[in-house]
Amino acid sequence: MSLFLTSRRLRGGLTGVAVAAVVLTTAACGGTTRGEDEGSSGGNDAAGASANPDAEIPADLAIAFLPKQLNNPYFDVAATGAERAVGEVEGEFSQVGPSEASASSQVSYINTLTQQGADVILTSANDPNAICSALDQARSGGASVVTFDSDTNPECRDLFINQATAEGIAQTQIDLMAEQIGGAGQVAILSATANATNQNTWIELMTEYAAQEYPDMEIVTTVYGDDEDEKSFQETQGLLQTYPDLKGIISPTTVGISAAARYLSGSEYKGRVALTGLGTPNQMREFVQDGTVTAFALWNPEDLGYLAAYAGAALAAGQITGEEGETFEAGDLGEYEVGADGVVVLGEPTVFNADNIDDFDF
């Protein structure tokens, strides 16, 4: 079992008010997670078929990994986990994807994978609707479709591997910001793309939670860096010029938070404007160590990719069909249960700060 997995399962990895937020909204026990996300009923083509938990995973399954964009550090780590899992089930791993995270940029890659006869497609959707038609064709052709990180409409896939409950992710980020600014002041959100399903869900929940729990915290705007480093850097600069009284920035995207931290670290705003959100320890270590960032959160993206690949293999083998209550083994991660609407929850996010960030390497 990896250091990351062990740390993820230790509830002590969450401190302060973030503990209550995530524990109340995320179920994780003994390596089994239960999906609690909301949504319409799933679109599994195997609905009505009986699962065979004892079915063997076929050799040489063609499992394709299609992230929002290539050369994104977050998805590079997730791909490492997926490739490791595919190796363990003796499948054939491939990775394809666009260079830009636009709404329709993944469609041509899905069409090609369908023509090539991919058995499993693992994808993080840039848009909940734009790739549905292509995924429907892939499923009609026999492919199992597993979304991870960012979902499509449930009718378009067989399973969604959720990194944590949306409520837990949203509340953790707001609580971290509130701790740093005393629960009051202007806060801006630096997001990825305007159509990203997960980002928009988290932002909506963050706004609602902040209004309920921190009425003196004002979320003044949301801007989009399109998961591009330079654009996110420029958007950070623009926020600080437009809102001279800004107390903090929340960036629920690994590209955005690292770009914002880089800008703040070399500016007059270092130590004056708080920054939190979702980032990887390796991206953010220098900014925690130099005092630009106090704390941020994330799950282990390698585990996310690893779990998605095992879920896809289980679907392709017929061990599960995507129905609520089914269980499957995910290698080193142990047993997982399919929740409502075909959602499987990885587990709890971890809060990283100066006390623990050197314990992680991803």
Side-chain angles (χ1 to χ4, degrees):
M1 185 175 298
S2 68
L3 167 65
F4 310 142
L5 175 60
T6 303
S7 299
R8 176 177 62 79
R9 287 182 180 164
L10 292 175
R11 294 188 187 276
L14 293 169
T15 58
V17 69
V19 175
V22 178
V23 169
L24 286 173
T25 56
T26 305
C29 181
T32 302
T33 59
R34 292 173 172 81
E36 297 177 353
D37 213 21
E38 68 277 2
S40 56
S41 60
N44 178 31
D45 285 342
S50 297
N52 179 7
D54 298 321
E56 292 188 8
I57 295 174
D60 301 325
L61 280 178
I63 301 179
F65 184 86
L66 173 59
K68 289 181 179 178
Q69 63 181 145
L70 297 179
N71 300 316
N72 178 312
Y74 172 86
F75 289 111
D76 288 345
V77 176
T80 298
E83 185 171 13
R84 180 163 61 91
V86 173
E88 291 175 3
V89 301
E90 300 182 347
E92 298 177 357
F93 176 82
S94 63
Q95 181 178 190
V96 297
S99 58
E100 297 182 358
S102 62
S104 61
S105 59
Q106 296 168 307
V107 171
S108 63
Y109 295 95
I110 297 169
N111 291 339
T112 298
L113 291 172
T114 301
Q115 294 167 1
Q116 293 173 343
D119 296 304
V120 178
I121 297 175
L122 314 175
T123 187
S124 178
N126 280 318
D127 182 278
N129 302 306
I131 62 175
C132 276
S133 178
L135 290 178
D136 286 341
Q137 292 181 27
R139 296 171 76 201
S140 296
S144 297
V145 172
V146 177
T147 55
F148 68 95
D149 177 72
S150 183
D151 201 8
T152 59
N153 287 333
E155 293 82 3
C156 308
R157 46 72 173 168
D158 298 305
L159 288 178
F160 170 48
I161 310 302
N162 199 357
Q163 47 270 60
T165 64
E167 293 84 358
I169 294 168
Q171 292 175 15
T172 295
Q173 293 177 87
I174 291 294
D175 288 335
L176 286 172
M177 179 55 67
E179 288 178 350
Q180 296 175 54
I181 66 172
Q186 293 184 344
V187 173
I189 296 174
L190 171 60
S191 185
T193 62
N195 294 315
T197 313
N198 55 348
Q199 298 280 313
N200 290 337
T201 299
W202 298 336
I203 291 167
E204 180 179 356
L205 291 169
M206 282 193 285
T207 303
E208 293 174 357
Y209 181 68
Q212 293 169 1
E213 300 297 323
Y214 306 103
D216 294 327
M217 179 190 296
E218 180 189 4
I219 297 180
V220 292
T221 191
T222 297
V223 296
Y224 301 94
D226 292 340
D227 261 351
E228 296 176 5
D229 178 80
E230 188 57 34
K231 186 174 182 184
S232 298
F233 185 91
Q234 293 170 353
E235 291 290 351
T236 302
Q237 182 180 32
L239 285 172
L240 296 166
Q241 293 173 346
T242 303
Y243 299 94
D245 296 325
L246 198 66
K247 290 291 186 67
I249 298 172
I250 300 173
S251 187
T253 163
T254 58
V255 174
I257 193 174
S258 61
R262 194 173 81 253
Y263 181 84
L264 289 173
S265 67
S267 76
E268 63 183 294
Y269 301 99
K270 177 181 176 180
R272 291 170 43 193
V273 175
L275 173 65
T276 194
L278 304 177
T280 68
N282 289 352
Q283 283 180 302
M284 300 301 294
R285 184 172 288 106
E286 65 177 292
F287 304 117
V288 170
Q289 292 173 343
D290 73 8
T292 301
V293 175
T294 299
F296 63 98
L298 197 67
W299 47 92
N300 183 359
E302 183 173 351
D303 286 347
L304 188 66
Y306 184 90
L307 177 57
Y310 261 102
L315 281 166
Q319 294 176 353
I320 57 175
T321 65
E323 292 299 305
E324 183 175 1
E326 295 174 343
T327 61
F328 64 98
E329 290 291 329
D332 292 341
L333 294 180
E335 183 180 85
Y336 278 77
E337 182 173 334
V338 179
D341 306 317
V343 176
V344 179
V345 180
L346 174 64
E348 302 170 1
T350 296
V351 172
F352 304 98
N353 54 38
D355 293 332
N356 69 355
I357 195 167
D358 288 335
D359 296 334
F360 299 87
D361 183 19
F362 68 89

